[in-house]
Amino acid sequence: MKSIAATFVLVAAALSPLQAEAQDACPDRSSYAPAREIVADLGRIVAPEGVQEEYAVEIGGIRQWVNVRGQDRDNPMVLFVHGGPASPIIPTLWQFQRPLEEYFTVVNYDQRGAGKTLTLNPQDAVADTLQVQRYVDDAIALAEHLRSRYHKRKLVLMAHSWGTVVAMHAALQRPDLFHAYVGIGQVINVRTNEQVSFDYGLRTAREKGNAEAVREMESIAPYPGDQPITRERIIIARKWPQFYGGLTAYREDSKYFYQGPRLSPDYDDTARCAINAGSVFSLGRLLDEFLRVDFTGVERFPIPVVMFMGRHDYTTPSEPTAAWLARVQAPYKQGVWFEHSAHMMPWEEPGKTLVSLLEYVRPHAIDTPKD
């Protein structure tokens, strides 16, 4: 099943060719069970000092699903804020995360309206809470919970795509909770991103002689322009940049990600179907607020900040992030270019992801005893 949420990984969710499947009966994927057992066995943490836990915890008045994995509890802890909205990392973490778990304890959670968290709570109790600040409050509350449960002084805050909106605000509001911030596919200004992405798609379509793409994109030009950024315009604006490798570099599609949850030992059929359902549930409620996101006025960042930037990212284009990073003042800052990635850097270049975290982040995250 392709997840609409997966492609939105920032406003692009509406593009999934299989988005109608979100409205269908939940497919039976029991035939994948033997493969899931192999994935589960490979990922099983057997080190005596390791941690492998999944549980629901009450955060922000609802139950939210948390996944914690690492080979050594004494390693620095990373709180990963997933993209979307409603595009959880847990069902595809098996594709890239295991090497990170040798050096970090990694925490993923399904945000409100997403994945297993969606299934744990009545939708009518959650619908009116889908606001950016509520997600920020959730991330802060979860960080405080993790510090207490796992006896950590601070955490590393890491985020992808939509999650960078939540995590940037959390870092700015509660820097005392975090050693450092890592933005992957960072959002700085949504309207700027929309224009850069659209211009790339139209330019490339013209170069390739793709009359269909040019016709579709010219039908909404100038984009975003002065017209409202509607869901219908977003569908057209995002379709072709992603077709030309703006989501996963050098690829027209990203089946590894969309269909990856089928092999996840952490998700059953109900949870897998909740990925699409969560996107439908969340997108309309968050879109207007998301389109107003703008961090360009942030001139000082209170903690070390590291940006992972895909050279071919035209989902959340990297150039605005690089420009912001060049002028911001911070205790430490580092930009890392992923030359063979677009938007999905941990999946596309997992080795460089690990090496970059070890070189630029882990030195800031070694806990020292309180005075």
Side-chain angles (χ1 to χ4, degrees):
M1 179 198 324
K2 265 191 186 179
S3 161
I4 324 177
T7 335
F8 182 58
V9 266
L10 263 160
V11 177
L15 298 180
S16 172
L18 300 184
Q19 68 178 19
E21 189 174 3
Q23 309 300 327
D24 296 342
C26 189
D28 178 3
R29 301 297 186 191
S30 58
S31 62
Y32 288 83
R36 288 189 208 114
E37 291 176 4
I38 295 171
V39 174
D41 185 58
L42 178 65
R44 188 162 53 94
I45 293 177
V46 296
E49 62 273 23
V51 55
Q52 182 177 1
E53 297 180 340
E54 289 188 288
Y55 58 90
V57 61
E58 184 162 324
I59 297 289
I62 65 170
R63 298 173 71 206
Q64 303 199 30
W65 190 253
V66 179
N67 176 292
V68 184
R69 295 178 51 87
Q71 296 288 345
D72 188 340
R73 288 173 176 264
D74 289 336
N75 277 335
M77 177 169 277
V78 172
L79 173 57
F80 199 127
V81 185
H82 69 67
S87 183
I89 291 291
I90 293 172
T92 54
L93 64 79
W94 62 271
Q95 295 179 336
F96 70 87
Q97 187 175 285
R98 283 183 62 241
L100 276 62
E101 295 164 6
E102 298 178 28
Y103 302 93
F104 302 90
T105 298
V106 186
V107 180
N108 289 281
Y109 70 108
D110 290 358
Q111 298 166 20
R112 60 179 58 230
K116 285 191 175 182
T117 295
L118 180 70
T119 70
L120 291 173
N121 302 279
Q123 291 191 17
D124 58 1
V126 177
D128 290 341
T129 72
L130 298 184
Q131 301 164 354
V132 169
Q133 186 57 50
R134 180 68 267 179
Y135 285 85
V136 176
D137 293 342
D138 287 350
I140 290 171
L142 179 56
E144 291 177 325
H145 161 78
L146 294 169
R147 289 201 310 164
S148 175
R149 181 180 177 113
Y150 297 99
H151 310 292
K152 298 294 183 182
R153 188 172 63 89
K154 293 183 180 182
L155 313 176
V156 173
L157 183 61
M158 185 161 69
H160 181 228
S161 197
W162 146 264
T164 67
V165 175
V166 176
M168 279 276 278
H169 280 300
L172 289 166
Q173 292 176 28
R174 288 295 306 276
D176 58 297
L177 296 176
F178 307 112
H179 290 294
Y181 170 65
V182 183
I184 306 173
Q186 178 69 46
V187 179
I188 296 297
N189 179 284
V190 170
R191 292 189 69 89
T192 299
N193 283 352
E194 290 297 301
Q195 181 174 350
V196 172
S197 176
F198 178 84
D199 290 349
Y200 165 77
L202 182 56
R203 180 176 68 251
T204 307
R206 286 171 173 163
E207 291 171 355
K208 301 287 187 181
N210 187 334
E212 176 189 0
V214 171
R215 181 174 62 254
E216 286 190 4
M217 298 192 77
E218 286 183 342
S219 73
I220 62 168
Y223 180 86
D226 297 327
Q227 299 299 313
I229 305 178
T230 62
R231 187 173 184 271
E232 291 71 25
R233 296 182 81 209
I234 290 171
I235 291 173
I236 296 173
R238 288 290 182 170
K239 176 180 177 181
W240 295 107
Q242 294 194 0
F243 177 81
Y244 288 119
L247 182 61
T248 302
Y250 320 124
R251 294 179 184 239
E252 296 176 358
D253 56 38
S254 303
K255 290 181 181 178
Y256 69 90
F257 181 70
Y258 295 134
Q259 298 181 3
R262 298 181 184 183
L263 294 176
S264 172
D266 297 306
Y267 264 41
D268 58 15
D269 285 344
T270 299
R272 277 184 286 278
C273 291
I275 300 172
N276 275 4
S279 178
V280 173
F281 178 62
S282 304
L283 178 57
R285 293 176 171 88
L286 282 164
L287 183 57
D288 287 346
E289 190 176 6
F290 170 74
L291 292 170
R292 297 194 297 270
V293 168
D294 182 5
F295 289 112
T296 55
V298 176
E299 298 177 349
R300 296 178 180 273
F301 205 74
I303 58 176
V305 54
V306 179
M307 294 297 185
F308 290 180
M309 300 175 290
R311 185 66 71 182
H312 308 278
D313 189 349
Y314 288 99
T315 300
T316 56
S318 297
E319 288 80 1
T321 301
W324 177 85
L325 189 63
R327 65 176 180 269
V328 74
Q329 297 182 35
Y332 172 88
K333 62 181 181 178
Q334 179 69 48
V336 184
W337 284 99
F338 286 66
E339 298 296 340
H340 297 290
S341 292
H343 191 62
M344 308 298 288
M345 283 154 271
W347 293 263
E348 296 178 85
E349 294 184 74
K352 184 161 187 175
T353 298
L354 173 60
V355 170
S356 299
L357 288 171
L358 293 178
E359 183 174 358
Y360 302 118
V361 180
R362 199 173 191 274
H364 298 284
I366 303 301
D367 260 329
T368 56
K370 294 180 179 179
D371 295 334

